[in-house]
Amino acid sequence: MTPVIEVTGLTKTYGSGPNAVHALRGVDLTVWPGEYLAIMGASGSGKSTLLNMLGCLDVPTSGSYKLDGIDVGDFEERQLSLVRNRKIGFVFQSFNLIPRTTALANVELPLVYSGMRRKQRRERAFAALELVGLADRAQHLPNELSGGQQQRVAVARALVTGPAMVLADEPTGNLDSASSAEVLGVFDRLNASGRTIVMITHEDDVAHHASRLIRVVDGRVATTVGATR
């Protein structure tokens, strides 16, 4: 079985000489298909830099990163963009929905760039909304949805390309407790159905939804523990 993520000796240094900042210092990490991993770390720990690496938003100074079996460590921006679109579904703290566009059209958007036919795009987007329990809100605009519903639309958008993993960055950070529970329930169900999820969070109760937790300290993976649902 090919790991979804296989990181070996990953480093990231900003600047040079005495003023160099060593954001990552030899990170090793493997994530298998179907895992639910939470990553935690204080401000300045290297957690955000690791997120950028895993999301192909930046390239390492040294080390290797294989995503779904593809070594992306030396990719140029155009290649990274293709990998991001095809292999990673992003869910951010802010929902990033287009305000005057329906939920269905928001979910459909990543497929537009792939050249897929309109009918097929619509079918896949509607199926993704069904997965997150929002098929009945397909024609609603974002301002007609609650915060939790908007984030579920964002999750559907992340799923619509059939990515190797869903990378969620503080996905409940802008939500109240009820909406947070709603969104985390969606992630739980997705993982139970076999989806691979990597979640960045600073909240212990959110991390406990994952099956594994790692903590990043001073640019290194300091601890790896199992998390209880």
Side-chain angles (χ1 to χ4, degrees), residues 5 7 10-12 14 23-24 39 46-61 65 67 72-73 77 80-81 83-84 88 90 92 165 167-169 198 200 216:
I5 292 173
V7 168
L10 205 68
T11 72
K12 183 65 179 181
Y14 297 99
L24 294 180
I39 300 176
K47 177 185 63 175
S48 296
T49 302
L50 180 58
L51 166 69
N52 288 340
M53 298 296 148
L54 298 183
C56 294
L57 299 168
D58 199 356
V59 294
T61 301
Y65 173 29
L67 174 61
V72 301
E77 176 53 37
L80 290 174
S81 179
V83 169
R84 287 194 297 268
I88 306 170
F90 290 95
F92 296 104
M165 72 165 172
L167 181 57
D169 182 18
V198 177
I200 312 295
V216 180

Side-chain angles (χ1 to χ4, degrees), residues 161-200:
T161 58
M165 72 165 172
V166 174
L167 181 57
D169 182 18
E170 303 281 4
T172 62
N174 283 339
L175 301 176
D176 58 35
S177 58
S179 296
S180 294
E182 180 182 300
V183 170
L184 290 170
V186 170
F187 281 119
D188 290 346
R189 292 191 296 274
L190 290 172
N191 181 247
S193 71
R195 302 276 181 170
T196 306
I197 298 171
V198 177
M199 181 182 294
I200 312 295

Side-chain angles (χ1 to χ4, degrees), residues 73-92:
D74 295 322
F75 275 19
E76 296 178 353
E77 176 53 37
R78 179 178 170 278
Q79 294 170 301
L80 290 174
S81 179
L82 288 173
V83 169
R84 287 194 297 268
N85 184 257
R86 296 173 182 176
K87 295 290 185 181
I88 306 170
F90 290 95
V91 180
F92 296 104

